[in-house]
Amino acid sequence: MSETESPVAPGAPAVPVVPPSPLPPFGAGERLRTVTLPGATLTVRSRPPAVSDGPAPPPALFVHGLGGSSRNWSPLMALLADAVDGEALDLPGFGDSPPPDDGDHSVTACARVVIRYLDAAARGPVHLFGNSLGGAIVTRVAAVRPDLVRTLTLVSPALPELRPQRTALPTGLLAVPGAVSLFARLTRDWTAEDRTRGLLALCYGDPGRVSPEGFAMAVEEFERRLELPYFWDVMARSTRGVVDAYTLGGQHSLWRQAERVLAPTLLVYGTSDRLVSYRMARRASKAFRDSRLLTLLGTGHVAMMEDPDAVARAFRELLADTLTTSERSATPRG
């Protein structure tokens, strides 16, 4: 694994195109580095842990959803800086990471990339977080490599639904061959502002939570992403990869793999999620053998951006319950 480092300036399936984090203050103090792995190059966002006289906090890894980036986790990473040594990946083809060498954007391929990174970084076992598509990816990681995972936190995980919500179906249709290119042509006159408003309305329970500064930041990032030559192709391949994961049966089924997860698991669902129904929380609670549930009223699909305080509090409770006696005495309570 080779890497270069540079500072960051302050500044169908129910799976969404998630906008970048619309909270500018939460980017301050983070760093980006480029990590080269066999078959993939990743951008990794990190936040140095808060200074403490006690032992170093345990490592954590955050994995975003379809169309998102590591920036989606900046609010939560900032709130947990005294509790974990956090890193967030840009999955291949998203954020600042180029597409994988083999063009494989399946859930299984993404899980292999996460495992490859954890093995190369030698930071495991980690507290592993995932949102939406990232939730499906880290579920697979936890099932096949339990040695790499201390706890699992899933925010609106994209696990198969027999009856997806109507509001999620348009996203699922992106998996149909030719649909993405058709959509790109039909919306070529849409501005980045129009697209960003649409995404916020889809992903947030209350888009009014986004500040004007945060909205401007999201628009700027969307404009940059639209200029990437592989943007639409990655969206099509990634959405198709999730559809394929939804149809797998037997031992490869995401629900069957959820049953294999040994790590203590925090499940986070929003009652106003237009992409993953909060009704799935009951099934998820039964599937993950050691789970606890946080249901957030009025919250949508990206709770770690909409209500990071509530997610941070729930994770701290999970962390406190799973630490050893010596670790517990040294861990700050937020």
Side-chain angles (χ1 to χ4, degrees):
M1 177 177 70
S2 63
E3 53 187 60
T4 58
E5 186 168 314
S6 61
V8 179
V15 182
V17 181
V18 182
S21 172
L23 295 171
F26 283 100
E30 295 178 345
R31 301 183 69 84
L32 294 180
R33 71 181 189 278
T34 300
V35 178
T36 303
L37 301 169
T41 299
L42 302 178
T43 297
V44 180
R45 182 178 301 270
S46 62
R47 170 176 286 278
V51 177
S52 171
D53 294 332
L61 184 69
F62 301 79
V63 183
H64 64 80
L66 179 63
S69 75
S70 59
R71 293 174 66 184
N72 295 159
W73 295 103
S74 290
L76 187 60
M77 288 175 66
L79 291 175
L80 295 177
D82 65 330
V84 298
D85 182 1
E87 292 186 340
L89 299 177
D90 282 338
L91 289 169
F94 295 104
D96 292 310
S97 295
D101 294 349
D102 60 4
D104 189 347
H105 291 273
S106 67
V107 170
T108 298
C110 290
R112 290 195 189 108
V113 169
V114 172
I115 290 171
R116 202 174 298 148
Y117 173 73
L118 288 173
D119 280 338
R123 298 180 77 236
V126 299
H127 296 286
L128 192 57
F129 294 72
N131 168 236
S132 192
L133 167 61
I137 292 168
V138 299
T139 294
R140 186 148 291 177
V141 172
V144 301
R145 288 293 303 274
D147 59 302
L148 294 177
V149 184
R150 296 190 185 200
T151 66
L152 189 64
T153 297
L154 304 177
V155 180
S156 296
L159 301 174
E161 296 186 51
L162 293 178
R163 296 180 180 178
Q165 299 180 101
R166 290 183 179 180
T167 47
L169 293 177
T171 301
L173 290 175
L174 294 177
V176 176
V180 167
S181 59
L182 175 61
F183 179 77
R185 291 196 300 272
L186 293 176
T187 63
R188 62 179 178 273
D189 294 330
W190 290 13
T191 65
E193 288 85 352
D194 294 333
R195 297 178 189 274
T196 301
R197 287 191 186 93
L199 291 179
L200 293 176
L202 183 65
C203 296
Y204 274 66
D206 178 11
R209 295 181 180 181
V210 182
S211 68
E213 296 80 11
F215 180 79
M217 180 181 178
V219 169
E220 181 180 356
E221 174 64 8
F222 209 120
E223 289 176 333
R224 183 189 71 83
R225 299 274 288 277
L226 284 170
E227 293 177 356
L228 297 173
Y230 52 78
F231 176 81
W232 291 113
D233 180 64
V234 168
M235 289 304 307
R237 290 174 182 265
S238 298
T239 308
R240 201 168 301 130
V242 181
V243 172
D244 291 343
Y246 273 43
T247 61
L248 290 176
Q251 295 299 317
H252 298 291
S253 162
L254 283 170
W255 284 114
R256 185 69 63 84
Q257 294 202 325
E259 295 171 354
R260 293 171 53 189
V261 172
L262 301 177
T265 302
L266 170 63
L267 301 166
V268 182
Y269 286 84
T271 61
S272 297
D273 194 333
R274 298 175 179 85
L275 292 155
V276 168
S277 173
Y278 74 93
R279 293 173 299 178
M280 298 304 294
R282 178 177 297 181
R283 182 173 182 181
S285 296
K286 293 179 179 179
F288 291 90
R289 65 182 72 188
D290 182 5
S291 68
R292 59 185 68 192
L293 174 64
L294 173 64
T295 302
L296 298 175
L297 298 176
T299 298
H301 192 64
V302 286
M304 71 284 189
M305 294 196 286
E306 297 176 77
D307 196 350
D309 293 291
V311 178
R313 287 194 300 270
F315 173 74
R316 287 178 183 276
E317 292 175 2
L318 174 69
L319 182 64
D321 290 344
T322 57
L323 290 176
T324 65
T325 302
S326 61
E327 289 174 322
R328 188 177 295 115
S329 63
T331 300
R333 302 279 180 157

